[in-house]
Amino acid sequence: MTADGLDWDGLYEAVMPPGTYTRPTAAPAAAAPVAAAPAAVAAPAPVAAAPAPASAAAPAAPSSAAAAVKREAAEKREERPHAAPAKEESIRVDAVKLDALLEVAGESVQAANQAAVLLERLLQFKFEGQAQTLMATLAETLERASRYSTELQRATLATRMQPVGRLFQKFPRLVRELAKDLGKDVELTIEGAETEVDRVVVDSLYDPLVHMLRNALDHGVETPEERAMAGKSIKSFISLKAWQEANSVMIVLQDDGKGMDPIKLRAKALQKGLISESAQLTNDDCFQLVFLPGFSTKEVASSVSGRGVGMDVVKRNITAMGGVVDIRSAKGFGTTISISLPLTLAILDGMSIRVGEEVYILPLGFVVESLQPVPDDVKEISGKGRVIKVRGEYLPLVPLYQMFDITPRYTDPCQGIVVIIETEGRKACLFIDELVGQQQVVVKNLESNYRKVTGISGATILGDGGVALILDVTALIRSSRQLADEQIYS
């Protein structure tokens, strides 16, 4: 016990484990006078004298006790289990590995489809006894394998999906800076940034969207003075929207600018030698002229536009991804550019159709319905082909056998099947011989292995090992001579 009334050795022994601390062996007789002297001197100020007796009475205690505390803490740290690291919510995976995984998943689905076809053929034979039991077990196993392979494919596709917001978030600054350079007051609004599409599609959309925005800012919206003279608000508005539609994603860029003048567009294309004098163009055809290489309404090229390469890049990149770009414009009210793209470029839900001896795949996202018309619903329009009346609406007939020059089983729509398809806001009737079935196919690029074929977007391997061509619905409708006349839709 020291002069301040505290037993320091006892306190150390109380907090330290047994056997880890030993009291100092100093002689009590020597310690007593030393302890008493400070007490007498420090009587007027006992608080200030308190530390002295402790250091004098037991000079080794604090140092040995501190060493013991440090040693104990070190032992506890060694015995304590390591804390688990923070849980990672995501990992970085090389895109090449994802592509390889998707390829394997697609091939597994294809193999499962082929196995299902073989099983269907085997079940045509009669089995008895143990063979019949084995066939039933085989059928059940193949069905389960097909289901799992499909789920694997879907899960793999999900790993490649990314929100378009990752791309859209780069554009507000671009619009803000470019509008400032051009002396225009423009506000960009974005909707549907959470819409998810394939990673390849997102990466390929940047250049087209940049060119579209630059074109809208430079050619579309007016200066504040021009808008005031036209009775519009000083501020211009550009909206960028995205949403999922069936198996496609729609991206629409709309401005409230001055719009396009079809007459001016035709004159400029004629001046640049891009069209002939005798070309008969509708308003929609004139709007499509902006996608021609070298076309521009600017007299003098600038750092923003005038070189005739912007919208050409948009058309080329979107078409390469199997997409469609369309323009709608009204002079004085603005322009709307719509892009339709597949959610993924690797897998396709399709309908197998037959024309003659050939089997084709019709993308399911374009199919509205199928029917067999009655003779009273089939009408002939002089010089424009045939149309079919469907619930009061006349739709142009597109005979697939004429498009590909093959021999059909039927030439009368009332004997075959008519599939109503829709793209770019327009409908048409695709005339075929019969419907074979519906299946999911793995898309193989035809252009890289052969060449570009009008009306064909790719190829796939069927369950029986045969090859089927995938139809490009948009190209088929556009290449149909009947659809060039707006009177069909009136």
Side-chain angles (χ1 to χ4, degrees):
M1 184 75 64
T2 59
D4 58 0
L6 294 177
D7 185 2
W8 292 99
D9 293 329
L11 289 175
Y12 281 117
E13 289 179 345
V15 299
M16 300 300 295
T20 60
Y21 173 66
T22 304
R23 287 176 178 265
T25 57
V34 178
V41 176
V47 176
S55 56
S63 59
S64 60
V69 170
K70 292 180 179 180
R71 184 168 60 254
E72 177 66 16
E75 292 176 355
K76 288 184 177 181
R77 282 196 299 268
E78 293 177 358
E79 296 175 358
R80 185 186 307 163
H82 295 287
K87 184 179 180 181
E88 292 287 346
E89 297 295 337
S90 61
I91 60 174
R92 297 178 63 89
V93 180
D94 193 340
V96 176
K97 295 180 180 179
L98 287 180
D99 294 340
L101 180 59
L102 181 61
E103 183 73 17
V104 173
E107 295 296 338
S108 67
V109 172
Q110 183 175 300
N113 292 337
Q114 292 179 349
V117 172
L118 293 176
L119 178 63
E120 185 177 353
R121 293 179 180 177
L122 281 175
L123 292 177
Q124 296 177 357
F125 298 96
K126 186 177 181 180
F127 296 92
E128 297 180 353
Q130 188 175 3
Q132 185 178 8
T133 304
L134 288 174
M135 287 303 299
T137 304
L138 177 61
E140 181 182 348
T141 303
L142 287 179
E143 181 182 359
R144 189 166 62 252
S146 177
R147 184 170 64 253
Y148 289 157
S149 61
T150 302
E151 290 299 325
L152 172 63
Q153 188 182 61
R154 291 176 180 174
T156 306
L157 283 173
T159 62
R160 292 166 52 96
M161 304 296 277
Q162 293 184 347
V164 293
R166 183 176 69 88
L167 182 65
F168 286 2
Q169 66 183 2
K170 303 177 182 179
F171 297 139
R173 180 179 178 182
L174 183 148
V175 171
R176 188 167 55 251
E177 294 179 350
L178 187 55
K180 182 179 179 181
D181 294 340
L182 296 173
K184 298 179 179 181
D185 187 5
V186 183
E187 179 179 335
L188 175 66
T189 59
I190 295 177
E191 298 180 21
E194 71 281 356
T195 304
E196 290 188 338
V197 294
D198 192 279
R199 174 191 59 84
V200 177
V201 176
V202 174
D203 294 341
S204 303
L205 272 176
Y206 180 75
D207 286 342
L209 289 179
V210 167
H211 286 297
M212 288 166 56
L213 284 169
R214 292 165 70 93
N215 191 74
L217 284 164
D218 195 27
H219 295 280
V221 300
E222 311 95 331
T223 61
E225 295 78 13
E226 293 173 336
R227 292 182 67 86
M229 293 178 60
K232 296 182 178 180
S233 62
I234 300 301
K235 177 177 288 188
S236 304
F237 294 92
I238 298 178
S239 65
L240 182 60
K241 303 178 183 178
W243 69 89
Q244 186 173 337
E245 187 175 280
N247 291 325
S248 302
V249 60
M250 295 294 299
I251 297 177
V252 176
L253 181 69
Q254 184 176 14
D255 66 70
D256 64 345
K258 57 189 174 184
M260 297 184 182
D261 187 350
I263 299 177
K264 183 179 179 181
L265 293 176
R266 188 185 186 282
K268 181 62 69 173
L270 188 62
Q271 175 187 341
K272 292 181 175 291
L274 300 176
I275 59 174
S276 62
E277 184 71 36
S278 60
Q280 301 294 325
L281 302 178
T282 64
N283 287 348
D284 287 343
D285 293 333
C286 292
F287 295 150
Q288 293 294 321
L289 293 175
V290 301
F291 295 120
L292 294 178
F295 181 89
S296 177
T297 56
K298 279 275 188 178
E299 298 296 338
V300 180
S302 65
S303 60
V304 179
S305 62
R307 293 166 292 172
V309 296
M311 297 304 287
D312 174 36
V313 171
V314 173
K315 180 75 170 182
R316 184 171 62 252
N317 289 15
I318 297 302
T319 303
M321 291 186 289
V324 178
V325 58
D326 185 55
I327 295 181
R328 293 287 183 269
S329 184
K331 187 177 179 180
F333 294 94
T335 302
T336 300
I337 303 179
S338 304
I339 296 177
S340 176
L341 288 167
L343 288 176
T344 178
L345 307 181
I347 307 297
L348 176 70
D349 287 322
M351 177 182 292
S352 302
I353 60 176
R354 189 185 302 276
V355 179
E357 299 299 324
E358 302 295 333
V359 175
Y360 298 93
I361 300 296
L362 180 62
L364 207 56
F366 296 99
V367 177
V368 178
E369 61 178 312
S370 61
L371 53 88
Q372 190 171 42
V374 297
D376 292 341
D377 291 336
V378 182
K379 307 295 182 181
E380 185 81 24
I381 299 180
S382 179
K384 298 182 176 68
R386 291 178 289 181
V387 296
I388 295 180
K389 184 179 181 181
V390 181
R391 289 186 287 277
E393 182 181 10
Y394 286 94
L395 302 178
L397 185 68
V398 182
L400 194 59
Y401 70 90
Q402 291 183 0
M403 304 296 294
F404 295 134
D405 194 22
I406 55 180
T407 303
R409 186 184 307 173
Y410 308 111
T411 56
D412 184 1
C414 299
Q415 295 178 336
I417 297 293
V418 168
V419 181
I420 300 177
I421 53 179
E422 182 177 11
T423 178
E424 298 181 334
R426 295 181 174 182
K427 293 181 181 179
C429 295
L430 189 65
F431 176 31
I432 61 175
D433 287 341
E434 64 173 316
L435 299 173
V436 178
Q438 179 180 332
Q439 59 181 306
Q440 195 173 65
V441 298
V442 180
V443 180
K444 303 294 183 181
N445 194 318
L446 186 65
E447 187 174 354
S448 60
N449 297 310
Y450 179 54
R451 63 180 176 84
K452 179 67 176 177
V453 179
T454 303
I456 301 297
S457 62
T460 188
I461 301 177
L462 300 175
D464 59 0
V467 177
L469 298 178
I470 301 173
L471 298 179
D472 185 346
V473 175
T474 304
L476 284 178
I477 292 183
R478 285 185 171 179
S479 62
S480 174
R481 177 177 56 87
Q482 301 166 347
L483 300 186
D485 198 321
E486 292 293 333
Q487 295 180 3
I488 292 180
Y489 294 93
S490 61

